Amino acid sequence: MSALEAEYRLDYFEENDFVRRECPECGAHFWTRDHDQELCGEPPCVEYSFIDNPGFEGEYSLEEMRENFLSFFEENGHERVDPYPVAANRWRDDVLLTQASIYDFQPLVTSGKTPPPANPLTISQPCIRMQDIDNVGKTGRHTMAFEMMAHHAFNTREDVDSDEYAYHGEVYWKDETVEYCDEFFTSLGADPEEITYIEDPWVGGGNAGPAIEVIYRGVELATLVFMSMEADPEGEYELKDGNRYSKMDTYIVDTGYGLERWTWVSQGTPTVYEAIYPEMIDFLTTNAGITHTDEEAALLHSASKLAGHMDIDEAEDMESARGEIAAGVGVDVSELEALMEPMEAVYAIADHCRTLAYMLGDGIVPSNVATGYLTRMVLRRTKRLCDTVGVDAPLDELVDMQAERLGYENRDTIRDIVRTEVEKYRETLERGGRRVEQLAQEYAERDEPIPTEELLELYDSHGIQPDMVEKIAEEVGASVEIPDDFYSLVAGRHDAGEAMRDTEERDERVAELPDTEKLYYEDQTRTEFEAVILDVIDRAEGFDVVLDQTMFYPEGGGQPADRGTISTDDGSYAVSDVQEDEGVVLHRVEEEPEKGALVRGRVDPERRQRLMAHHTATHIVGHATREVLGEHIRQAGAQKGVESARLDVRHYDRIGREQVKEIERIANHLVRDNVPVTEEWPHRNEAEAEHGFDLYQGGIPPGERIRLIHVAEDVQACGGTHVSRTGDIGAIKIVSTERVQDGVERLTFSAGAAAIEATQETEDALYEAAAVLDVSPAEVPGTAERFFEEWKARGKEIEALTEELAELRAGEGEVVELGEATAVIQRLDADSDELRATANALVGEGKVAVLGSGADGAQFVVAVPDGVGINAGEVVGTLADRVGGGGGGPPDFAQGGGPDAGKLDEALEDAPDVLKRVLNA
RNA sequence: GGGCUCGUAGAUCAGUGGUAGAUCGCUUCCUUCGCAAGGAAGAGGCCCUGGGUUCAAAUCCCAGCGAGUCCA
């Protein structure tokens, strides 16, 4: 029994003659106008009834249905809001991708800290659900990319203070929401008797509330969620997840109408894909040369229809249901599979291309982390699908077809990224293919199967799917066994070492203090101020001073804290660090000043100036980088300093030297233009409407008003301190670029005086090199190259001379006759190369060589010609032992030595005896 | 953010602490009217960089740089 039963007793249901029923199959409670209805109306209790039997008066395309929905709610008092990016990690750090329209407003709006862009509002939000990736194309109804059409209303209880939350009062609640739903259905010509409202309380992410599933002709077309509770151990409601919840001050209408499903129902096609991607499917089937006879087409149609009637929720269900379907349409399973599989691939390609268009269009750059990695996975999967089904159109063209349809303006960049990625993938496959081939050959020769361990490494370290290994291995004749739990074995390699997250508890004493007034926003060039000490907190190291107002900038937004002094009548205190704790600024000093004292604060002006210059320069470099590399450039992190600053940007390639120069040119041009740097505090909704999401390069601040910094055309939400005109920066010098991750480039640069210092450092290195070579700086590259070439030539010459010398020396040593063999024992103080060469020369003459050198410790080389029964390694071992070392090597050529050069001669004198002893031993 | 793998000739890669290797490509010659092919000879290596261990490091250890890949 639902704990929320009373929540569903709506006046609207009462007034419109609805009845509440319990489904005898699944036990769900539902509301309907049809007094004879018994079942809940949803699979598995009932089957789809809209296939080949469209549910509305007209057929709609995706675009038409979207417009229909948005304008319906617009006419009903809702403001239309532009969709948010699919990369939800741009405004929240708990998820990567946008999976529902409500994601757009979490957590700042739903918690009441920030007002919604409009209230009530309607939106059609593109979403991506990676969880469904295996089902796409197969089940007939799953897509990875979809649009969630929605209307939202944000309410607060009347009895809370009107200024406690960013919105106040009730806009509308349950009755109106259901009424809108009913009306939207009837506006499309649907029969209200066929609509079922199922009670299905919703729980998720610490929030909960009553919710209603809206079913029409067997398919769920909308979910109406009434978010109104939060997790609370003391709460009065216990919900289906076993936790207790209590009512919140805010309550939010969160609806979701699946655009694809509505479009599908309006057309009544066997699968959702045919309804939403008709042109793309035509293009792909033609391109891949897939043709069907009328008979085959009819077969496919009825097979898909049959599948549609079943409750197929997973690709696996599909596979097991195939037999049943084949029997249903009266053909062989294999015949059916041969027909369906290429079409499933085509459906998936269409869907994946749309997913990619969303991801890349919203500025995600493929990489090996986060959303970038997901994008890369989808892209590679799509490419594989294209290859297996025989689509030979370039992938960038396919993605572009979707990007065009979705109205993206950065289509050239999207294509460029796709091309780069496809090329990278091709290289990976080529590299991997060679590797597998080699490995497979090795195991084929030994007649062993390729072990699982190798498969794991191939996948984990080299990105080669096991089935690809199988294919290649087959060609070479090696066997492979892929364990069923392969992917969990992979997971096992990634030891889940949960990192400890230290949660800092807020100091209660600080919490009671009023927010510090921030003077640094009033005049960023002033460095002196007066204030009163409100409190002094004893810390493990020093004291934190809280003032009523301050000029000191606390560390934040990648800008380090100011330093300086605060002075009272009793003395002066050096401020070594400044931090902010929810509005209260803490000044770290070593000695304890008196609470309540009047102080004069003085910020280190030189440091502040340099930090401001670097901060403004960071905006300028970001702007210049975007101009040079493209609109997709987005900040991935930044850190400002006194000597230099760094800016990490997302980009799909390395930044070349020419591009660095161009960025530097544009940045410095902006500096020379000496444009004013201005700030404003607009309402966030106006700011977003005017500048879009790119405002938030360094994260999203809460609150109704946000601070914007303008530098020429560049606008960013930013809390840092800035110079007043770009000319104050003086100059910007990019010192280095590095690839900090795949898809993230780090630009390190210096501004102002630091720029000159950085340039001087580089020049010093050049001048020093020039002085060493005794040439002018301009001649350094040429000279260095010449020296390097000459050095290499000389090395070769030495090698040749060493060999010549060795031949000449070869006769100089003491000759010892050992029966049929002759040995030469010789001391020559030279390096090991020379010893080796001499030994080789002696062996060339058919003699055993025993050579010793005292040039660097004691070294031996012993070489034995073919057919002489002496183990060189053994000889060296014995000799080296005498000089306190060791040695060894193959029987015909051994080396060794030791530190005690004084015993070298002694050892060599014993050599004849050693030789005789080991001869034929 | 974490794990794993790899850096050796122009390219692709072998290499087990003990003399730096193969295949393709390149140069020259032979064969040919010429080309392809074939035959012969040859050139081409700071073995990524810097430390450490060792008598001895391409090889083992550490750090850095560069590249690839899997996971969250």
Side-chain angles (χ1 to χ4, degrees):
Chain A
M1 225 21 44
S2 164
L4 301 173
E5 191 182 324
E7 297 272 346
Y8 295 101
R9 301 209 169 270
L10 305 184
D11 292 344
Y12 181 78
F13 286 150
E14 198 75 19
E15 287 158 13
N16 289 277
D17 199 24
F18 277 80
V19 286
R20 182 170 190 259
R21 288 279 152 83
E22 179 175 348
C23 176
E25 296 280 330
C26 66
H29 291 89
F30 59 89
W31 294 81
T32 174
R33 282 186 170 91
D34 176 4
H35 291 216
D36 298 327
Q37 182 175 339
E38 286 192 6
L39 298 171
C40 65
E42 191 184 21
C45 306
V46 296
E47 294 178 344
Y48 285 0
S49 59
F50 65 90
I51 294 177
D52 288 340
N53 178 26
F56 307 130
E57 265 173 12
E59 288 189 5
Y60 296 86
S61 67
L62 272 188
E63 289 76 12
E64 289 163 348
M65 183 58 81
R66 181 199 298 129
E67 182 50 40
N68 217 7
F69 179 90
L70 294 173
S71 51
F72 172 86
F73 280 94
E74 233 171 5
E75 282 158 22
N76 283 285
H78 293 69
E79 190 170 319
R80 187 191 292 224
V81 171
D82 285 338
Y84 283 50
V86 290
N89 62 342
R90 282 174 67 183
W91 67 89
R92 51 194 292 191
D93 52 17
D94 55 338
V95 290
L96 294 177
L97 295 167
T98 309
Q99 300 202 356
S101 60
I102 195 70
Y103 277 40
D104 299 350
F105 312 110
Q106 288 170 321
L108 291 175
V109 179
T110 48
S111 67
K113 281 188 184 153
T114 295
N119 200 6
L121 61 84
T122 183
I123 190 169
S124 185
Q125 175 60 46
C127 299
I128 293 172
R129 287 199 181 161
M130 297 287 293
Q131 301 92 298
D132 288 333
I133 192 165
D134 289 321
N135 299 330
V136 175
K138 294 194 169 155
T139 63
R141 61 176 172 218
H142 283 103
T143 60
M144 185 158 49
F146 64 97
E147 276 183 46
M148 184 180 280
M149 302 185 293
H151 60 103
H152 294 286
F154 302 87
N155 309 300
T156 52
R157 297 220 309 256
E158 299 290 347
D159 54 353
V160 298
D161 269 358
S162 62
D163 56 356
E164 195 169 340
Y165 297 101
Y167 40 91
H168 184 68
E170 179 171 301
V171 181
Y172 61 78
W173 192 228
K174 291 181 280 193
D175 288 279
E176 294 86 337
T177 303
V178 175
E179 189 175 349
Y180 281 134
C181 186
D182 251 7
E183 279 174 15
F184 182 59
F185 266 105
T186 47
S187 80
L188 292 170
D191 177 4
E193 292 255 325
E194 287 191 68
I195 307 169
T196 310
Y197 293 95
I198 301 181
E199 298 178 8
D200 181 30
W202 168 87
V203 173
N207 290 105
I212 294 172
E213 281 180 14
V214 186
I215 313 295
Y216 180 73
R217 295 208 176 168
V219 64
E220 179 183 348
L221 280 183
T223 309
L224 313 175
V225 176
F226 303 101
M227 189 195 286
S228 54
M229 298 182 219
E230 60 191 349
D232 177 3
E234 316 271 287
E236 74 180 281
Y237 304 92
E238 184 180 332
L239 300 188
K240 58 182 175 186
D241 67 343
N243 294 322
R244 303 198 74 85
Y245 289 83
S246 61
K247 296 257 183 177
M248 299 187 292
D249 287 347
T250 58
Y251 53 105
I252 293 155
V253 173
D254 170 22
T255 62
Y257 291 64
L259 170 61
E260 290 69 21
R261 292 225 172 149
W262 284 80
T263 306
W264 185 19
V265 169
S266 84
Q267 296 186 23
T269 52
T271 70
V272 68
Y273 318 111
E274 289 155 295
I276 61 180
Y277 305 120
E279 303 89 357
M280 187 101 182
I281 290 170
D282 279 350
F283 178 88
L284 290 170
T285 44
T286 308
N287 187 279
I290 301 172
T291 50
H292 294 126
T293 60
D294 289 351
E295 216 174 312
E296 285 170 332
L299 203 64
L300 266 176
H301 186 95
S302 39
S304 302
K305 193 172 160 183
L306 256 179
H309 284 303
M310 296 183 186
D311 182 39
I312 290 171
D313 232 18
E314 295 288 336
E316 292 162 24
D317 302 341
M318 187 65 205
E319 277 152 28
S320 50
R322 276 245 173 82
E324 212 176 309
I325 295 169
V329 291
V331 295
D332 210 47
V333 179
S334 58
E335 195 183 328
L336 185 66
E337 270 176 5
L339 269 179
M340 285 180 79
E341 271 171 9
M343 289 314 293
E344 289 174 353
V346 163
Y347 296 150
I349 292 168
D351 168 77
H352 292 4
C353 285
R354 177 166 165 220
T355 307
L356 287 170
Y358 279 139
M359 288 174 143
L360 300 173
D362 281 346
I364 300 178
V365 173
S367 76
N368 55 5
V369 291
T371 50
Y373 179 64
L374 299 180
T375 308
R376 176 167 285 169
M377 287 296 89
V378 175
L379 190 142
R380 293 187 171 188
R381 192 187 178 94
T382 313
K383 178 69 185 148
R384 271 203 302 279
L385 283 168
C386 285
D387 290 346
T388 42
V389 82
V391 170
D392 66 356
L395 190 57
D396 60 288
E397 198 177 310
L398 300 181
V399 175
D400 188 56
M401 286 168 71
Q402 293 293 330
E404 183 184 14
R405 203 170 75 132
L406 297 170
Y408 281 110
E409 281 171 14
N410 50 348
R411 284 165 53 199
D412 287 342
T413 307
I414 296 176
R415 295 190 70 148
D416 208 20
I417 294 175
V418 174
R419 273 193 297 265
T420 308
E421 275 297 304
V422 168
E423 176 58 21
K424 277 191 186 176
Y425 187 43
R426 197 189 58 75
E427 280 171 21
T428 295
L429 286 184
E430 211 178 84
R431 224 187 345 259
R434 280 193 305 258
R435 205 182 176 90
V436 175
E437 221 169 294
Q438 214 164 15
L439 201 74
Q441 230 141 30
E442 216 172 282
Y443 282 98
E445 275 166 29
R446 278 191 274 158
D447 213 21
E448 286 172 25
I450 298 176
T452 306
E453 192 52 37
E454 295 279 10
L455 287 182
L456 282 173
E457 182 167 323
L458 282 170
Y459 178 70
D460 201 18
S461 302
H462 305 284
I464 305 158
Q465 247 81 10
D467 52 341
M468 180 176 164
V469 178
E470 196 172 33
K471 217 175 81 192
I472 296 173
E474 206 175 306
E475 289 165 17
V476 190
S479 62
V480 191
E481 251 180 64
I482 304 170
D484 290 335
D485 58 346
F486 182 79
Y487 288 95
S488 61
L489 287 175
V490 173
R493 282 167 71 101
H494 298 265
D495 253 8
E498 266 308 298
M500 287 288 289
R501 186 187 282 184
D502 42 347
T503 44
E504 253 177 68
E505 261 181 51
R506 196 172 177 216
D507 199 310
E508 276 181 35
R509 206 158 141 196
V510 176
E512 283 167 13
L513 293 164
D515 286 2
T516 313
E517 196 181 331
K518 292 163 182 168
L519 301 174
Y520 47 84
Y521 282 147
E522 282 168 23
D523 181 355
Q524 303 182 29
T525 53
R526 227 179 77 193
T527 53
E528 297 195 19
F529 66 101
E530 288 180 351
V532 177
I533 298 184
L534 297 182
D535 203 353
V536 180
I537 303 162
D538 200 346
R539 300 290 189 198
E541 284 173 35
F543 301 86
D544 276 336
V545 178
V546 179
L547 306 172
D548 62 335
Q549 54 178 9
T550 189
M551 208 77 224
F552 282 92
Y553 184 84
E555 184 177 352
Q559 183 175 332
D562 279 333
R563 299 218 177 117
T565 54
I566 49 176
S567 339
T568 66
D569 293 339
D570 296 335
S572 177
Y573 307 83
V575 177
S576 59
D577 190 23
V578 188
Q579 295 291 328
E580 183 177 350
D581 187 348
E582 291 193 35
V584 179
V585 179
L586 305 167
H587 306 74
R588 178 60 57 90
V589 296
E590 272 189 25
E591 306 280 317
E592 183 175 11
E594 197 187 336
K595 192 172 158 182
L598 198 69
V599 295
R600 260 212 12 218
R602 197 177 156 279
V603 174
D604 176 350
E606 167 77 14
R607 178 184 165 89
R608 163 66 79 79
Q609 210 289 325
R610 280 180 168 238
L611 290 174
M612 291 199 303
H614 278 114
H615 202 143
T616 310
T618 304
H619 287 220
I620 292 176
V621 170
H623 180 73
T625 306
R626 193 168 301 119
E627 297 241 311
V628 174
L629 299 180
E631 278 302 311
H632 62 284
I633 290 299
R634 197 151 284 124
Q635 181 175 317
Q639 180 66 47
K640 296 89 187 177
V642 175
E643 298 301 328
S644 67
R646 55 187 161 79
L647 174 69
D648 297 346
V649 297
R650 303 200 179 281
H651 185 51
Y652 51 90
D653 209 350
R654 294 302 311 260
I655 302 178
R657 180 72 193 135
E658 278 312 311
Q659 292 170 318
V660 169
K661 285 177 167 173
E662 186 62 20
I663 292 168
E664 224 168 47
R665 266 195 290 274
I666 293 175
N668 281 292
H669 196 271
L670 211 53
V671 170
R672 283 195 306 278
D673 281 349
N674 198 22
V675 295
V677 178
T678 58
E679 67 160 9
E680 56 165 337
W681 289 85
H683 192 280
R684 64 184 310 126
N685 294 345
E686 287 163 24
E688 277 175 27
E690 192 176 343
H691 305 291
F693 252 84
D694 290 336
L695 275 180
Y696 306 121
Q697 296 284 325
I700 300 198
E704 270 182 57
R705 296 195 172 270
I706 55 175
R707 181 168 181 258
L708 295 191
I709 297 295
H710 295 254
V711 184
E713 306 128 59
D714 185 71
V715 191
Q716 288 187 39
C718 176
T721 56
H722 288 271
V723 296
S724 51
R725 300 189 77 91
T726 57
D728 298 345
I729 295 171
I732 295 174
K733 176 75 205 153
I734 295 175
V735 181
S736 70
T737 61
E738 59 183 318
R739 193 197 76 143
V740 65
Q741 275 169 359
D742 196 15
V744 181
E745 286 284 312
R746 172 168 296 170
L747 292 147
T748 307
F749 53 91
S750 291
I756 303 300
E757 287 160 17
T759 311
Q760 286 170 344
E761 258 177 59
T762 326
E763 279 178 344
D764 284 347
L766 178 61
Y767 286 134
E768 266 178 57
V772 172
L773 297 174
D774 200 17
V775 296
S776 70
E779 286 170 310
V780 166
T783 310
E785 195 183 343
R786 187 164 58 81
F787 273 37
F788 189 56
E789 291 302 325
E790 281 181 14
W791 174 77
K792 284 198 283 189
R794 225 157 274 196
K796 273 172 224 158
E797 208 176 326
I798 289 171
E799 208 178 316
L801 289 173
T802 307
E803 265 171 56
E804 249 179 77
L805 186 64
E807 307 232 348
L808 292 174
R809 274 178 176 168
E812 289 172 8
E814 177 195 349
V815 179
V816 179
E817 293 298 337
L818 301 163
E820 56 221 69
T822 306
V824 174
I825 298 168
Q826 189 176 348
R827 171 170 175 158
L828 54 134
D829 289 349
D831 65 20
S832 53
D833 280 341
E834 269 186 69
L835 290 189
R836 276 201 293 264
T838 310
N840 279 334
L842 285 165
V843 165
E845 293 171 13
K847 293 170 183 161
V848 176
V850 179
L851 307 177
S853 160
D856 181 20
Q859 285 184 306
F860 299 103
V861 171
V862 174
V864 180
D866 277 352
V868 178
I870 290 177
N871 185 325
E874 213 173 307
V875 177
V876 161
T878 311
L879 296 178
D881 193 46
R882 302 283 173 84
V883 294
D892 63 327
F893 197 98
Q895 297 162 67
D900 197 350
K903 296 208 175 131
L904 177 62
D905 287 326
E906 208 177 299
L908 285 174
E909 274 167 34
D910 283 350
D913 292 341
V914 177
L915 285 173
K916 281 171 195 155
R917 200 164 60 239
V918 301
L919 180 63
N920 298 323

